[in-house]
């Protein structure tokens, strides 16, 4: 099962992720990072940027692939994930923007009705990830309904990158990025599938707050089910779940998770 690390706050979680990825880049300068948007990864990106700058780590060869993108938004829309990834990751870390990719980059606002172009984008994105050698570390957030990326409940656990319809709850949750107006939130997206996510060599899922407690309970201690897409992490050989006390509040075995991490040999890392 996944390793569960319970931390005090987002900053502590960010430091754990930042150290892990910084050490990866030192060992593998052309590392491939899987990138996520949303609020959960922000402290992790800040921590990584701080380490990169303080330790003068060369990131010029680092590659990146984002999890998902809204359909119907132009690339320069401030809430497109193309813009968000460049604002929160590429610029703070000093990555080469030509080496960082988002599933909707080739679409750039293509309407949903252009089925041929949109349908081809998913398989092309998976092929690009494979051509880069696969993702070394994929950072993940989790929705209140257990979705990862935009893989809503019911998504195939073997799915590749494809077009999905966003659940109403996801659009409600994301309205905060669109002036709290759900009508501005797109109804469709292109997202890496669960099968694509599971191909990454290391998965790091971050979750904070009581609102994520039920989803974390289902992910960590529930059965593996398409109705909690994040539960697929139980099938991965190297998955790390970093959560605060509130997100961990419904876990039955949280005392063991604390004990195991406290007694983990330092050389193992995460």
């Amino acid at each position: 099962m996944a390793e569960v690390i319970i931390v005090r706050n987002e900053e502590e979680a960010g430091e754990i992720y930042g150290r892990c990825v910084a050490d990866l880049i030192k060992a593998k300068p052309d590392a491939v990072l899987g990138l996520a948007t949303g609020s959960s990864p922000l402290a992790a990106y800040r921590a990584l940027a701080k380490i990169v700058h303080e330790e003068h780590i060369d990131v010029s060869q680092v590659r990146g692939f984002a999890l998902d993108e809204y359909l119907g938004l132009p690339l320069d829309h401030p809430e497109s994930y193309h813009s968000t990834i460049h604002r929160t990751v590429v610029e703070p870390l000093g990555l080469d923007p030509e080496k960082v990719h988002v599933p909707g980059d080739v679409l750039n606002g293509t309407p949903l009705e252009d089925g041929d172009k949109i349908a081809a984008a998913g398989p092309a994105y998976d092929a690009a990830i494979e051509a880069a050698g696969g993702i070394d570390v994929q950072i993940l957030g989790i929705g209140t309904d257990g979705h990862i990326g935009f893989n809503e409940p019911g998504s195939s656990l073997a799915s590749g990158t494809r077009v999905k319809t966003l659940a109403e709850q996801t659009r409600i949750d994301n309205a905060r990025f669109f002036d709290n107006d759900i009508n501005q939130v797109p109804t469709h997206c292109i997202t890496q599938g669960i099968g694509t996510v599971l191909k990454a060599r290391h998965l790091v899922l971050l979750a904070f707050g009581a609102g994520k407690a039920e989803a974390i309970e289902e992910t960590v201690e529930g059965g593996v089910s398409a109705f909690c897409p994040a539960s697929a992490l139980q099938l991965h050989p190297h998955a790390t779940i970093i959560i605060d006390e509130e997100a961990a509040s419904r876990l039955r075995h949280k005392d063991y998770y604390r004990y195991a991490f406290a007694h983990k040999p330092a050389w193992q890392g995460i």
Side-chain angles (χ1 to χ4, degrees):
M1 64 171 289
E3 177 181 28
V4 178
I5 303 172
I6 302 172
V7 297
R8 296 184 303 273
N9 51 42
E10 296 182 38
E11 286 67 33
E12 184 180 358
E15 290 168 5
I16 294 171
Y17 167 85
R19 184 74 269 160
C20 168
V21 175
D23 288 346
L24 167 68
I25 296 170
K26 287 180 178 180
K28 185 181 180 182
D30 63 346
V32 182
L33 305 183
L35 305 171
T37 55
S39 56
S40 296
L42 293 178
Y45 295 146
R46 288 194 297 269
L48 176 58
K50 184 173 184 289
I51 295 171
V52 164
H53 295 306
E54 288 181 349
E55 299 183 10
H56 306 289
I57 300 173
D58 181 6
V59 297
S60 61
Q61 298 305 310
V62 171
R63 280 101 27 101
F65 289 88
L67 273 174
D68 43 30
E69 177 62 285
Y70 293 113
L71 285 181
L73 293 184
L75 295 182
D76 59 359
H77 188 287
E79 295 306 329
S80 76
Y81 287 169
H82 173 93
S83 295
T84 303
I85 287 293
H86 280 257
R87 186 169 61 245
T88 61
V89 183
V90 174
E91 294 173 6
L93 267 67
L95 302 183
D96 180 351
E98 296 298 318
K99 293 183 171 68
V100 178
H101 312 284
V102 176
D105 279 354
V106 298
L107 298 174
N108 194 18
T110 298
L112 188 65
E113 291 73 22
D114 191 345
D116 290 342
K117 185 173 182 180
I118 289 178
Y125 197 68
D126 285 344
I129 292 173
E130 290 183 14
I135 290 172
D136 291 302
V137 179
Q138 173 68 63
I139 192 171
L140 298 165
I142 184 171
T144 55
D145 59 3
H147 75 255
I148 51 175
F150 274 139
N151 293 283
E152 302 286 11
S155 294
S156 166
L157 301 185
S159 53
T161 301
R162 76 270 190 239
V163 173
K164 292 290 289 182
T165 302
L166 295 175
E168 191 74 358
Q169 185 60 54
T170 299
R171 296 181 68 232
I172 291 170
D173 290 345
N174 287 5
R176 67 190 190 276
F177 301 115
F178 292 84
D179 299 322
N180 291 313
D181 180 4
I182 191 173
N183 294 315
Q184 294 185 39
V185 183
T187 57
H188 292 82
C189 66
I190 180 170
T191 182
Q192 285 187 36
I194 301 294
T196 305
V197 170
L198 292 178
K199 290 179 181 179
R201 285 178 276 278
H202 184 190
L203 304 178
V204 179
L205 186 148
L206 306 175
F208 311 106
K212 300 296 178 70
E214 183 177 358
I216 289 296
E217 178 188 26
E218 291 295 323
T219 296
V220 176
E221 297 179 344
V224 176
S225 168
F227 290 96
C228 179
S231 66
L233 270 67
Q234 295 181 37
L235 304 174
H236 197 277
H238 189 188
T240 306
I241 297 176
I242 309 177
I243 52 180
D244 66 5
E245 293 286 351
E246 290 185 331
S249 61
R250 294 177 57 137
L251 295 177
R252 288 169 292 173
H253 300 291
K254 53 181 173 285
D255 289 341
Y256 170 71
Y257 305 141
R258 291 192 188 93
Y259 179 88
F261 185 64
H263 291 82
K264 187 177 184 179
W267 54 265
Q268 285 188 325
I270 65 167

